[in-house]
Amino acid sequence: GAGVSQTPSNKVTEKGKYVELRCDPISGHTALYWYRQSLGQGPEFLIYFQGTGAADDSGLPNDRFFAVRPEGSVSTLKIQRTERGDSAVYLCASSSGSASYNEQFFGPGTRLTVL
Amino acid sequence: AQSVTQLDSQVPVFEEAPVELRCNYSSSVSVYLFWYVQYPNQGLQLLLKYLSGSTLVESINGFEAEFNKSQTSFHLRKPSVHISDTAEYFCAAPSGGYQKVTFGTGTKLQVIP
């Protein structure tokens, strides 16, 4: 079956612009996660959705970052007034449950470059 | 909060040689631990996980990891590596009581022919 998909695969934007990154999870997965992976680092947690609601957004770095999941499936990560420091690979993952032992399935990521 | 440490950023090893990738964790409570692998130009994949029970866990492609509570370690080993094992490996652990996963900084395994 289809895995987690993310679009676009690459996004180049200018400083100050607005961007949207999309994640399409595995069908039926109720939990969805966003991570950010900077060069030379491991993925860092941004936000976790259980269904339509953001159960934990403690990893969002500031109020320029926002994510939605209006129908409990596709999610969009939105970044306003982008800065060069936002350049990273943004990863999305989904799982069938939110327990610690449920496997997370990752998408290929969106590479964001802010010029 | 749970945290994981991977001290080796890169590990070069000759093909068919053994390898150990180190991971140490910090926690005062029961832990779940994972190893993820990221092959070139691919997404992260779960390699193996420790939840409970036997402290030695294995993957389908010959890797194994041993949960060592006294040393707070979860090192990844393989007795004989292949070129296809070239990838970046991440140790990880959930925190916050659910799947808010904390990742280590990763170890790049480079298998030399």
Side-chain angles (χ1 to χ4, degrees):
Chain A
V4 178
S5 62
Q6 292 185 247
T7 54
S9 56
N10 280 284
K11 176 69 177 179
V12 180
T13 190
E14 294 180 342
K15 181 176 178 295
K17 299 290 188 182
Y18 168 83
V19 296
E20 290 189 352
L21 311 180
R22 176 188 167 107
C23 171
D24 206 332
I26 293 173
S27 177
H29 278 190
T30 57
L32 186 145
Y33 307 82
W34 283 98
Y35 295 85
R36 178 169 70 174
Q37 187 174 14
S38 301
L39 195 63
Q41 300 295 317
E44 294 177 288
F45 171 84
L46 294 177
I47 187 170
Y48 152 60
F49 286 91
Q50 181 59 41
T52 60
D56 184 350
D57 63 358
S58 62
L60 295 178
N62 52 59
D63 61 6
R64 295 187 298 106
F65 288 75
F66 189 70
V68 296
R69 195 185 185 200
E71 298 179 356
S73 178
V74 171
S75 176
T76 304
L77 179 65
K78 308 180 180 189
I79 310 174
Q80 299 176 322
R81 305 183 303 280
T82 52
E83 299 177 356
R84 292 194 178 87
D86 299 335
S87 296
V89 176
Y90 289 81
L91 300 171
C92 176
S94 70
S95 67
S96 59
S98 59
S100 298
Y101 48 79
N102 289 128
E103 180 178 353
Q104 292 188 27
F105 294 85
F106 283 81
T110 294
R111 182 176 299 278
L112 175 66
T113 302
V114 182
L115 301 176
Chain B
Q2 179 69 289
S3 69
V4 292
T5 302
Q6 293 180 252
L7 292 175
D8 304 309
S9 59
Q10 294 190 47
V11 174
V13 61
F14 286 104
E15 192 173 16
E16 298 184 4
V19 69
E20 178 180 85
L21 307 183
R22 296 180 294 168
C23 172
N24 289 92
Y25 68 91
S26 67
S27 176
S28 60
V29 298
S30 298
V31 298
Y32 299 147
L33 291 161
F34 312 105
W35 275 100
Y36 282 83
V37 59
Q38 189 170 30
Y39 297 105
N41 301 314
Q42 294 187 29
L44 280 163
Q45 303 172 34
L46 182 66
L47 184 64
L48 49 75
K49 61 184 175 183
Y50 170 76
L51 301 179
S52 64
S54 173
T55 57
L56 186 66
V57 291
E58 299 177 350
S59 71
I60 59 173
N61 59 351
F63 281 92
E64 64 179 31
E66 185 167 16
F67 171 66
N68 188 318
K69 189 172 183 179
S70 63
Q71 297 185 11
T72 60
S73 67
F74 191 57
H75 301 332
L76 183 69
R77 302 183 181 95
K78 188 170 185 179
S80 175
V81 295
H82 302 287
I83 293 291
S84 59
D85 294 324
T86 294
E88 189 159 17
Y89 294 79
F90 294 91
C91 186
S95 62
Y98 53 90
Q99 281 209 3
K100 179 179 177 178
V101 177
T102 299
F103 288 83
T105 51
T107 298
K108 292 183 179 177
L109 174 62
Q110 182 186 4
V111 180
I112 304 165

Short mmCIF file of all heavy atoms in Angstrom, two decimals, chain B residues 51-94:
data_model
loop_
_atom_site.label_atom_id
_atom_site.label_comp_id
_atom_site.label_asym_id
_atom_site.label_seq_id
_atom_site.Cartn_x
_atom_site.Cartn_y
_atom_site.Cartn_z
N LEU B 51 11.07 -2.88 23.55
CA LEU B 51 9.91 -2.45 24.33
C LEU B 51 9.95 -3.05 25.72
O LEU B 51 9.76 -2.36 26.72
CB LEU B 51 8.61 -2.85 23.61
CG LEU B 51 8.42 -2.29 22.21
CD1 LEU B 51 7.10 -2.77 21.61
CD2 LEU B 51 8.46 -0.77 22.22
N SER B 52 10.17 -4.35 25.79
CA SER B 52 10.25 -5.05 27.07
C SER B 52 10.72 -6.47 26.77
O SER B 52 10.92 -6.84 25.62
CB SER B 52 8.91 -5.06 27.78
OG SER B 52 7.96 -5.80 27.03
N GLY B 53 10.89 -7.27 27.81
CA GLY B 53 11.25 -8.66 27.60
C GLY B 53 12.73 -8.82 27.32
O GLY B 53 13.58 -8.19 27.95
N SER B 54 13.05 -9.66 26.35
CA SER B 54 14.45 -9.95 26.03
C SER B 54 15.21 -8.67 25.74
O SER B 54 14.75 -7.82 24.98
CB SER B 54 14.53 -10.88 24.82
OG SER B 54 15.88 -11.04 24.41
N THR B 55 16.38 -8.56 26.32
CA THR B 55 17.17 -7.33 26.13
C THR B 55 17.89 -7.30 24.79
O THR B 55 18.44 -6.27 24.40
CB THR B 55 18.21 -7.18 27.25
OG1 THR B 55 19.04 -8.35 27.27
CG2 THR B 55 17.54 -6.99 28.60
N LEU B 56 17.91 -8.42 24.08
CA LEU B 56 18.54 -8.48 22.77
C LEU B 56 17.46 -8.50 21.71
O LEU B 56 16.61 -9.37 21.69
CB LEU B 56 19.41 -9.73 22.66
CG LEU B 56 20.25 -9.86 21.39
CD1 LEU B 56 21.30 -8.75 21.34
CD2 LEU B 56 20.90 -11.23 21.30
N VAL B 57 17.49 -7.51 20.83
CA VAL B 57 16.51 -7.44 19.75
C VAL B 57 17.23 -7.48 18.42
O VAL B 57 18.35 -6.99 18.29
CB VAL B 57 15.63 -6.18 19.86
CG1 VAL B 57 14.72 -6.27 21.06
CG2 VAL B 57 16.47 -4.92 19.95
N GLU B 58 16.56 -8.05 17.44
CA GLU B 58 17.20 -8.25 16.13
C GLU B 58 16.35 -7.68 15.02
O GLU B 58 15.12 -7.58 15.13
CB GLU B 58 17.40 -9.76 15.89
CG GLU B 58 18.29 -10.43 16.91
CD GLU B 58 18.41 -11.93 16.68
OE1 GLU B 58 17.65 -12.47 15.85
OE2 GLU B 58 19.26 -12.56 17.32
N SER B 59 17.03 -7.31 13.93
CA SER B 59 16.32 -6.87 12.73
C SER B 59 16.39 -7.97 11.69
O SER B 59 17.12 -8.95 11.84
CB SER B 59 16.96 -5.60 12.17
OG SER B 59 18.22 -5.90 11.60
N ILE B 60 15.63 -7.79 10.61
CA ILE B 60 15.58 -8.83 9.60
C ILE B 60 16.83 -8.87 8.74
O ILE B 60 17.09 -9.83 8.05
CB ILE B 60 14.35 -8.66 8.70
CG1 ILE B 60 14.38 -7.28 8.00
CG2 ILE B 60 13.07 -8.81 9.49
CD1 ILE B 60 13.28 -7.11 6.97
N ASN B 61 17.64 -7.81 8.79
CA ASN B 61 18.82 -7.77 7.92
C ASN B 61 20.12 -7.95 8.71
O ASN B 61 21.18 -7.48 8.31
CB ASN B 61 18.87 -6.48 7.11
CG ASN B 61 18.89 -5.25 7.98
OD1 ASN B 61 18.71 -5.31 9.18
ND2 ASN B 61 19.13 -4.10 7.36
N GLY B 62 20.06 -8.62 9.86
CA GLY B 62 21.26 -9.03 10.56
C GLY B 62 21.76 -8.10 11.64
O GLY B 62 22.75 -8.41 12.32
N PHE B 63 21.14 -6.94 11.83
CA PHE B 63 21.54 -6.07 12.93
C PHE B 63 20.91 -6.54 14.24
O PHE B 63 19.84 -7.15 14.23
CB PHE B 63 21.09 -4.62 12.66
CG PHE B 63 21.97 -3.87 11.71
CD1 PHE B 63 21.69 -3.85 10.35
CD2 PHE B 63 23.08 -3.18 12.16
CE1 PHE B 63 22.51 -3.17 9.46
CE2 PHE B 63 23.90 -2.48 11.28
CZ PHE B 63 23.60 -2.48 9.93
N GLU B 64 21.57 -6.24 15.33
CA GLU B 64 21.01 -6.52 16.65
C GLU B 64 21.41 -5.40 17.60
O GLU B 64 22.41 -4.70 17.38
CB GLU B 64 21.48 -7.87 17.19
CG GLU B 64 22.97 -7.95 17.44
CD GLU B 64 23.38 -9.31 18.00
OE1 GLU B 64 22.73 -10.33 17.68
OE2 GLU B 64 24.37 -9.34 18.75
N ALA B 65 20.62 -5.22 18.63
CA ALA B 65 20.92 -4.21 19.64
C ALA B 65 20.58 -4.80 21.00
O ALA B 65 19.62 -5.56 21.14
CB ALA B 65 20.14 -2.93 19.40
N GLU B 66 21.36 -4.44 21.99
CA GLU B 66 21.15 -4.96 23.33
C GLU B 66 20.87 -3.82 24.30
O GLU B 66 21.65 -2.86 24.41
CB GLU B 66 22.36 -5.75 23.80
CG GLU B 66 22.13 -6.41 25.16
CD GLU B 66 23.18 -7.45 25.49
OE1 GLU B 66 24.24 -7.44 24.84
OE2 GLU B 66 22.95 -8.26 26.41
N PHE B 67 19.76 -3.93 24.97
CA PHE B 67 19.39 -2.97 25.99
C PHE B 67 20.18 -3.30 27.26
O PHE B 67 20.07 -4.39 27.81
CB PHE B 67 17.89 -3.04 26.27
CG PHE B 67 17.44 -2.24 27.45
CD1 PHE B 67 17.53 -0.86 27.45
CD2 PHE B 67 16.91 -2.86 28.58
CE1 PHE B 67 17.11 -0.11 28.53
CE2 PHE B 67 16.49 -2.12 29.67
CZ PHE B 67 16.59 -0.75 29.65
N ASN B 68 20.99 -2.35 27.72
CA ASN B 68 21.80 -2.56 28.91
C ASN B 68 21.45 -1.48 29.92
O ASN B 68 21.88 -0.33 29.80
CB ASN B 68 23.29 -2.50 28.54
CG ASN B 68 24.18 -2.90 29.69
OD1 ASN B 68 23.94 -2.51 30.84
ND2 ASN B 68 25.19 -3.71 29.41
N LYS B 69 20.66 -1.86 30.91
CA LYS B 69 20.16 -0.88 31.86
C LYS B 69 21.28 -0.33 32.74
O LYS B 69 21.31 0.87 33.04
CB LYS B 69 19.07 -1.50 32.73
CG LYS B 69 18.33 -0.51 33.61
CD LYS B 69 17.15 -1.15 34.29
CE LYS B 69 16.38 -0.12 35.11
NZ LYS B 69 15.19 -0.72 35.78
N SER B 70 22.20 -1.17 33.15
CA SER B 70 23.26 -0.72 34.05
C SER B 70 24.20 0.28 33.37
O SER B 70 24.73 1.18 34.02
CB SER B 70 24.07 -1.92 34.56
OG SER B 70 24.72 -2.58 33.48
N GLN B 71 24.37 0.13 32.07
CA GLN B 71 25.22 1.05 31.33
C GLN B 71 24.42 2.09 30.55
O GLN B 71 25.02 2.90 29.82
CB GLN B 71 26.13 0.27 30.37
CG GLN B 71 27.09 -0.66 31.08
CD GLN B 71 28.07 -1.34 30.13
OE1 GLN B 71 28.16 -0.99 28.96
NE2 GLN B 71 28.78 -2.33 30.63
N THR B 72 23.12 2.06 30.69
CA THR B 72 22.20 2.96 29.96
C THR B 72 22.60 3.04 28.49
O THR B 72 22.77 4.13 27.92
CB THR B 72 22.13 4.37 30.58
OG1 THR B 72 23.43 4.98 30.56
CG2 THR B 72 21.61 4.30 32.00
N SER B 73 22.76 1.87 27.88
CA SER B 73 23.18 1.84 26.48
C SER B 73 22.24 0.98 25.65
O SER B 73 21.52 0.12 26.18
CB SER B 73 24.61 1.30 26.36
OG SER B 73 24.66 -0.06 26.73
N PHE B 74 22.27 1.23 24.37
CA PHE B 74 21.47 0.47 23.40
C PHE B 74 22.27 0.45 22.11
O PHE B 74 21.85 0.96 21.08
CB PHE B 74 20.10 1.11 23.22
CG PHE B 74 19.11 0.28 22.44
CD1 PHE B 74 18.79 -1.01 22.84
CD2 PHE B 74 18.46 0.81 21.32
CE1 PHE B 74 17.85 -1.76 22.13
CE2 PHE B 74 17.53 0.05 20.61
CZ PHE B 74 17.23 -1.22 21.02
N HIS B 75 23.45 -0.18 22.16
CA HIS B 75 24.35 -0.18 21.01
C HIS B 75 23.85 -1.10 19.91
O HIS B 75 23.30 -2.16 20.17
CB HIS B 75 25.75 -0.62 21.44
CG HIS B 75 26.37 0.26 22.48
ND1 HIS B 75 26.07 1.59 22.62
CD2 HIS B 75 27.28 -0.03 23.46
CE1 HIS B 75 26.76 2.11 23.62
NE2 HIS B 75 27.50 1.15 24.16
N LEU B 76 24.10 -0.69 18.69
CA LEU B 76 23.69 -1.45 17.50
C LEU B 76 24.90 -2.18 16.94
O LEU B 76 25.96 -1.56 16.77
CB LEU B 76 23.10 -0.50 16.45
CG LEU B 76 22.56 -1.12 15.17
CD1 LEU B 76 21.28 -1.92 15.45
CD2 LEU B 76 22.27 -0.03 14.13
N ARG B 77 24.73 -3.46 16.63
CA ARG B 77 25.87 -4.25 16.15
C ARG B 77 25.47 -5.07 14.94
O ARG B 77 24.32 -5.43 14.75
CB ARG B 77 26.36 -5.20 17.24
CG ARG B 77 26.80 -4.54 18.53
CD ARG B 77 27.35 -5.57 19.51
NE ARG B 77 27.75 -4.94 20.77
CZ ARG B 77 26.98 -4.86 21.84
NH1 ARG B 77 25.76 -5.37 21.83
NH2 ARG B 77 27.42 -4.27 22.94
N LYS B 78 26.50 -5.37 14.13
CA LYS B 78 26.33 -6.33 13.04
C LYS B 78 27.66 -7.04 12.86
O LYS B 78 28.69 -6.39 12.78
CB LYS B 78 25.89 -5.65 11.75
CG LYS B 78 25.51 -6.65 10.65
CD LYS B 78 24.86 -5.99 9.46
CE LYS B 78 24.38 -7.06 8.46
NZ LYS B 78 23.70 -6.47 7.27
N PRO B 79 27.66 -8.37 12.81
CA PRO B 79 28.93 -9.10 12.75
C PRO B 79 29.65 -8.97 11.42
O PRO B 79 30.88 -9.12 11.36
CB PRO B 79 28.51 -10.55 13.01
CG PRO B 79 27.06 -10.60 12.69
CD PRO B 79 26.51 -9.25 12.97
N SER B 80 28.92 -8.69 10.34
CA SER B 80 29.55 -8.61 9.02
C SER B 80 28.72 -7.67 8.15
O SER B 80 27.60 -7.99 7.79
CB SER B 80 29.62 -10.01 8.39
OG SER B 80 30.13 -9.93 7.07
N VAL B 81 29.28 -6.50 7.84
CA VAL B 81 28.48 -5.50 7.11
C VAL B 81 28.63 -5.67 5.60
O VAL B 81 29.62 -6.21 5.10
CB VAL B 81 28.89 -4.06 7.51
CG1 VAL B 81 28.56 -3.81 8.96
CG2 VAL B 81 30.36 -3.79 7.20
N HIS B 82 27.61 -5.16 4.89
CA HIS B 82 27.60 -5.18 3.43
C HIS B 82 27.57 -3.76 2.91
O HIS B 82 27.18 -2.83 3.63
CB HIS B 82 26.38 -5.96 2.93
CG HIS B 82 26.32 -7.37 3.43
ND1 HIS B 82 27.15 -8.37 2.98
CD2 HIS B 82 25.54 -7.93 4.37
CE1 HIS B 82 26.87 -9.49 3.60
NE2 HIS B 82 25.90 -9.26 4.46
N ILE B 83 27.93 -3.60 1.67
CA ILE B 83 27.88 -2.29 1.04
C ILE B 83 26.50 -1.67 1.21
O ILE B 83 26.37 -0.46 1.44
CB ILE B 83 28.24 -2.39 -0.46
CG1 ILE B 83 29.70 -2.77 -0.64
CG2 ILE B 83 27.95 -1.06 -1.16
CD1 ILE B 83 30.69 -1.70 -0.23
N SER B 84 25.49 -2.49 1.11
CA SER B 84 24.11 -1.99 1.18
C SER B 84 23.74 -1.46 2.56
O SER B 84 22.68 -0.86 2.72
CB SER B 84 23.13 -3.10 0.79
OG SER B 84 23.27 -4.22 1.65
N ASP B 85 24.58 -1.67 3.56
CA ASP B 85 24.31 -1.14 4.90
C ASP B 85 24.74 0.31 5.04
O ASP B 85 24.49 0.94 6.07
CB ASP B 85 25.04 -1.98 5.97
CG ASP B 85 24.50 -3.39 6.07
OD1 ASP B 85 23.27 -3.58 5.91
OD2 ASP B 85 25.31 -4.32 6.30
N THR B 86 25.38 0.84 4.03
CA THR B 86 25.78 2.25 4.05
C THR B 86 24.54 3.11 4.19
O THR B 86 23.63 3.08 3.36
CB THR B 86 26.53 2.62 2.75
OG1 THR B 86 27.76 1.90 2.70
CG2 THR B 86 26.80 4.11 2.69
N ALA B 87 24.50 3.87 5.27
CA ALA B 87 23.30 4.66 5.60
C ALA B 87 23.61 5.47 6.85
O ALA B 87 24.68 5.36 7.44
CB ALA B 87 22.10 3.75 5.85
N GLU B 88 22.64 6.27 7.25
CA GLU B 88 22.74 6.98 8.52
C GLU B 88 21.79 6.32 9.51
O GLU B 88 20.64 6.02 9.18
CB GLU B 88 22.41 8.47 8.38
CG GLU B 88 22.72 9.27 9.63
CD GLU B 88 22.89 10.76 9.37
OE1 GLU B 88 22.46 11.23 8.30
OE2 GLU B 88 23.46 11.44 10.26
N TYR B 89 22.28 6.10 10.72
CA TYR B 89 21.53 5.37 11.73
C TYR B 89 21.24 6.30 12.90
O TYR B 89 22.14 6.98 13.40
CB TYR B 89 22.31 4.13 12.19
CG TYR B 89 22.46 3.10 11.09
CD1 TYR B 89 23.41 3.25 10.09
CD2 TYR B 89 21.61 1.99 11.05
CE1 TYR B 89 23.53 2.32 9.08
CE2 TYR B 89 21.73 1.05 10.03
CZ TYR B 89 22.68 1.22 9.04
OH TYR B 89 22.80 0.30 8.04
N PHE B 90 19.99 6.30 13.32
CA PHE B 90 19.56 7.16 14.42
C PHE B 90 19.02 6.32 15.57
O PHE B 90 18.13 5.49 15.38
CB PHE B 90 18.45 8.12 13.95
CG PHE B 90 18.90 9.14 12.94
CD1 PHE B 90 18.80 8.87 11.59
CD2 PHE B 90 19.41 10.35 13.35
CE1 PHE B 90 19.20 9.81 10.64
CE2 PHE B 90 19.81 11.30 12.41
CZ PHE B 90 19.72 11.02 11.06
N CYS B 91 19.52 6.59 16.75
CA CYS B 91 18.96 6.03 17.97
C CYS B 91 17.86 6.98 18.43
O CYS B 91 17.99 8.21 18.28
CB CYS B 91 20.07 5.91 19.01
SG CYS B 91 19.59 5.09 20.53
N ALA B 92 16.79 6.43 18.98
CA ALA B 92 15.67 7.30 19.34
C ALA B 92 14.90 6.71 20.52
O ALA B 92 14.94 5.50 20.76
CB ALA B 92 14.72 7.48 18.15
N ALA B 93 14.19 7.59 21.22
CA ALA B 93 13.39 7.15 22.35
C ALA B 93 12.20 8.08 22.50
O ALA B 93 12.32 9.29 22.28
CB ALA B 93 14.21 7.15 23.63
N PRO B 94 11.04 7.55 22.87
CA PRO B 94 9.88 8.40 23.08
C PRO B 94 9.98 9.10 24.43
O PRO B 94 10.60 8.61 25.35
CB PRO B 94 8.71 7.43 23.05
CG PRO B 94 9.30 6.14 23.53
CD PRO B 94 10.72 6.13 23.07
#
